């Protein structure tokens, strides 16, 4: 088996192609690992951390910080809202869930080239196929408006949370810690995350 340098679209692979079953298995582990990195829900809904921002710029800054910190939580919340929009049609919910799982395993969380009948399938072809399947399924089920409403509600709720959830006290990434002056450029061995307001000796 030859080592291949595979490049298509935005993804670049330098690996030995593996079977489709192994690709899906590895994608599933990557998906599970990503979901497990969500922040604690008690921290997400900590009512004591909610207040009104001082200005529009402060509100936008909160949204950006909260989006970085609670990204997985927001993704889960939006997915739940979209699913709830289909709760009246269990069959549609199951079919859409299967399509979403295909997107997750074959595109978003795939780390290896996809082999079909011994041939490497490019990312563009995978993406095109998934888009076609999604459009056909959604059109066939007739749930476009439901999904749009559910997704919009989830996004709006996430934005409202981001505006009013004060990020003070959340752990910062290293770049933000540098910009806030919490660590100096010479401290390359410092931890990657620091609680806001903490001081480094």
């Amino acid at each position: 088996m030859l080592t291949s340098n595979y490049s298509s679209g935005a993804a670049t692979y330098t690996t030995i192609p593996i079977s489709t079953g192994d690709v899906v298995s590895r994608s599933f582990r990557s998906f599970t690992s990503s979901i497990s990195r969500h922040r604690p829900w008690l921290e997400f809904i900590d009512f004591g951390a909610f207040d009104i921002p001082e200005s529009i710029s402060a509100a936008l800054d909160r949204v950006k910080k909260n989006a970085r910190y609670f990204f997985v939580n927001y993704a889960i919340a939006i997915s739940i809202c979209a699913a709830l929009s289909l709760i009246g049609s269990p069959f549609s919910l199951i079919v859409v869930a299967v399509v979403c799982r295909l997107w997750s395993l074959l595109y978003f969380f795939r780390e290896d080239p996809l082999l079909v009948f011994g041939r490497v399938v490019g990312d563009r072809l995978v993406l095109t196929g998934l888009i076609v399947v999604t459009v056909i399924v959604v059109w066939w089920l007739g749930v476009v408006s439901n999904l749009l409403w559910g997704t919009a509600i989830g996004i709006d709720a996430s934005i409202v949370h981001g505006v009013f959830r004060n990020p003070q006290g959340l752990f910062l990434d290293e770049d933000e810690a540098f910009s806030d002056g919490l660590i100096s450029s010479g401290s390359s061995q410092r931890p990657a995350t620091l609680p806001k307001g903490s001081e480094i000796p």
Side-chain angles (χ1 to χ4, degrees), residues 45-172:
I45 58 174
D46 180 11
F47 293 109
F50 285 82
D51 58 29
I52 299 175
E54 299 176 353
S55 63
I56 294 179
S57 61
L60 293 176
D61 185 58
R62 285 187 178 191
V63 170
K64 289 190 295 183
K65 289 181 178 179
N66 284 321
R68 286 199 302 268
Y69 190 79
F70 293 114
F71 177 79
V72 177
N73 300 71
Y74 288 146
I76 294 174
I78 293 171
S79 299
I80 291 175
C81 289
L84 289 176
S85 71
L86 301 177
I87 201 69
S89 177
F91 177 74
S92 298
L93 179 58
I94 293 172
V95 174
V96 171
V98 170
V99 173
C100 290
R101 179 58 61 89
L102 288 176
W103 274 92
S104 299
L105 298 183
L106 299 182
Y107 192 77
F108 291 117
F109 296 97
R110 181 167 56 86
E111 300 175 346
D112 306 284
L114 183 63
L115 282 182
V116 177
F117 300 116
R119 298 179 63 88
V120 176
V121 180
D123 278 355
R124 291 180 181 175
L125 184 57
V126 174
L127 177 61
T128 301
L130 288 171
I131 290 175
V132 171
V133 170
T134 302
V135 170
I136 292 174
V137 168
V138 172
W139 175 80
W140 174 60
L141 293 174
V143 293
V144 177
S145 60
N146 297 58
L147 284 175
L148 289 178
W149 272 108
T151 303
I153 291 173
I155 293 174
D156 289 344
S158 299
I159 293 175
V160 170
H161 178 277
V163 169
F164 293 102
R165 208 295 183 187
N166 193 329
Q168 182 74 24
L170 299 181
F171 283 82
L172 304 173

